[in-house]
Amino acid sequence: MATSQTSPPLTQEGLNHECQELVSSLPREDGWRYSPLYQYQTVWYSQMALLGMIERQRHFKAHDTDILLATTPKSGTTWLKALAFAIVNRTHYPYPQHPLLTSNPHKLVPFFEVDNYPNNQNSDPDSICSPALFCTHVPYIALPQSIKDSDCKVVYLCRNPKDVFISLWHFMNKRKTETQSLISLEKALDLFCAGISPFGPFWDHVLGYWKASLESPQKVMFLKYEDLKKEPIVLLKRLAEFLGCTFTLKEDKDGVIHDILRLCSFENLSNLEVNKVGKFQHRLQHLDGLEHRLFFRRGEVGDSSNYLTTRMIERLDQITEQKFQGYDLRF
Ligand code: PAP
């Protein structure tokens, strides 16, 4: 399927029809239960993510002032969305009226492959602030060329594969329908290790953005969830600088960085009414009604050790070591 930016515009229906044909020709995996995955150009996508990704590859025009947040699922996307939104818009809102207190971060920062960016009907008008902030799980190789060619900034957040895997396993089991059986840890691990996970293989995803950040550090910033937990102030300052909105000395002295960290902390966000009982309203059926609370589980580093056997840990560590060999990338 052509993905050129110059291909004639297609209606959503036309694209869907064309993509339906494409999807039916692709390798399919049902093991994650609630949403089948399809392998397209080495990457595993849900059908809607694949359709959205292809549409964006064809038509998306990035602006130099855009900011793209990128993650593999369960690497801390919700946290990064909250932090980046709070940093970029910090002069717009007095704290008592901050949108993060009443809106889930996913509502404020849309996913560009499944939400209607830039005319996102699901988003709060607050999210249309400049610079435009949006998010993706799409791997670097599959990003629209216009993102790579523009001065648009990309912030990538990754997380150690063991915690990502356990977080994903919990999430997928909560998402399955009542008639579907639970996904066993063993079966899920086999899939994950074979690279079959949403937007996987996980390791290729991380490496794609890692290499891009080495080649263009002024364009792609690479962060780790674990580092953000360990040194939040240092990294928040770096992030603001990278995004072109460095914290002033006065802001630093006034405790603005601490305020943002507190606002976006797991403890704060997970206890807000909107995140305890709120649900997505979405044009896509499989996202409509999704409970916000599912994006807040433990929010800790190393929780995977409570679930994985020694053999499972060795298996994941071994793959990680092999895949990242020679790349100075450790977790
Ligand atoms: P997504 O990629 O599907 O949007 P994402 O937000 O990356 O989901 O994953 C949720 C994970 O981030 C959960 O991890 P856990 O299962 O290991 O607990 C969730 O708890 C964690 N998380 C959500 N919000 C925060 C936060 N504010 N700080 C730290 N971790 C968080």
Side-chain angles (χ1 to χ4, degrees), residues 71-79 106 111 137 159 163 166-167 171 225 229 264-266 269 294-300 303:
T71 58
T72 57
K74 308 302 152 200
S75 294
T77 320
T78 313
W79 192 20
H106 290 288
F111 277 111
H137 286 321
R159 187 182 189 187
D163 287 349
I166 286 299
S167 186
F171 184 78
Y225 182 97
K229 281 272 182 185
C264 301
S265 69
F266 180 87
L269 291 184
L294 297 187
F295 292 88
F296 303 93
R297 194 183 61 88
R298 296 286 298 273
E300 286 171 9
D303 181 50

Side-chain angles (χ1 to χ4, degrees), residues 1 9-21 58:
M1 168 171 273
L10 287 169
T11 63
Q12 191 60 34
E13 282 140 316
L15 182 72
N16 281 343
H17 176 70
E18 186 185 352
C19 286
Q20 289 293 347
E21 278 186 25
R58 289 179 168 192

Side-chain angles (χ1 to χ4, degrees), residues 2 72 96 104 112 161 194 222 231 249 295 303:
T72 57
N104 179 269
F112 92 131
F222 190 95
E231 295 187 296
L249 281 175
F295 292 88
D303 181 50

Side-chain angles (χ1 to χ4, degrees), residues 71-245:
T71 58
T72 57
K74 308 302 152 200
S75 294
T77 320
T78 313
W79 192 20
L80 181 63
K81 283 185 176 190
L83 288 170
F85 182 89
I87 290 175
V88 167
N89 295 307
R90 65 186 184 270
T91 55
H92 294 140
Y93 309 108
Y95 268 88
Q97 279 115 48
H98 202 285
L100 279 165
L101 297 174
T102 47
S103 295
N104 179 269
H106 290 288
K107 191 172 177 200
L108 297 171
V109 184
F111 277 111
F112 92 131
E113 62 272 23
V114 289
D115 298 326
N116 264 346
Y117 179 89
N119 302 315
N120 179 24
Q121 294 146 357
N122 301 300
S123 265
D124 215 276
D126 290 329
S127 67
I128 318 292
C129 286
S130 182
L133 193 56
F134 53 103
C135 185
T136 190
H137 286 321
V138 168
Y140 190 77
I141 44 156
L143 288 182
Q145 195 55 39
S146 130
I147 290 181
K148 297 175 185 173
D149 292 344
S150 71
D151 284 337
C152 158
K153 301 260 184 192
V154 180
V155 180
Y156 186 70
L157 179 66
C158 69
R159 187 182 189 187
N160 87 72
K162 287 171 282 193
D163 287 349
V164 166
F165 167 67
I166 286 299
S167 186
L168 181 67
W169 176 67
H170 278 286
F171 184 78
M172 291 305 217
N173 270 327
K174 282 178 194 145
R175 290 289 285 140
K176 70 172 194 57
T177 62
E178 274 174 25
T179 54
Q180 290 173 326
S181 56
L182 280 172
I183 313 158
S184 73
L185 198 56
E186 291 73 16
K187 170 70 183 159
L189 186 65
D190 284 346
L191 289 170
F192 191 79
C193 289
I196 307 170
S197 58
F199 303 91
F202 167 86
W203 296 271
D204 295 358
H205 200 288
V206 175
L207 264 186
Y209 282 94
W210 175 245
K211 288 183 197 166
S213 76
L214 295 178
E215 276 163 26
S216 314
Q218 73 296 342
K219 179 173 183 69
V220 183
M221 181 181 202
F222 190 95
L223 292 168
K224 290 182 190 160
Y225 182 97
E226 294 76 17
D227 294 344
L228 211 43
K229 281 272 182 185
K230 207 163 36 173
E231 295 187 296
I233 295 177
V234 175
L235 289 182
L236 228 57
K237 282 185 183 174
R238 262 187 229 156
L239 178 56
E241 203 180 319
F242 177 77
L243 297 178
C245 49

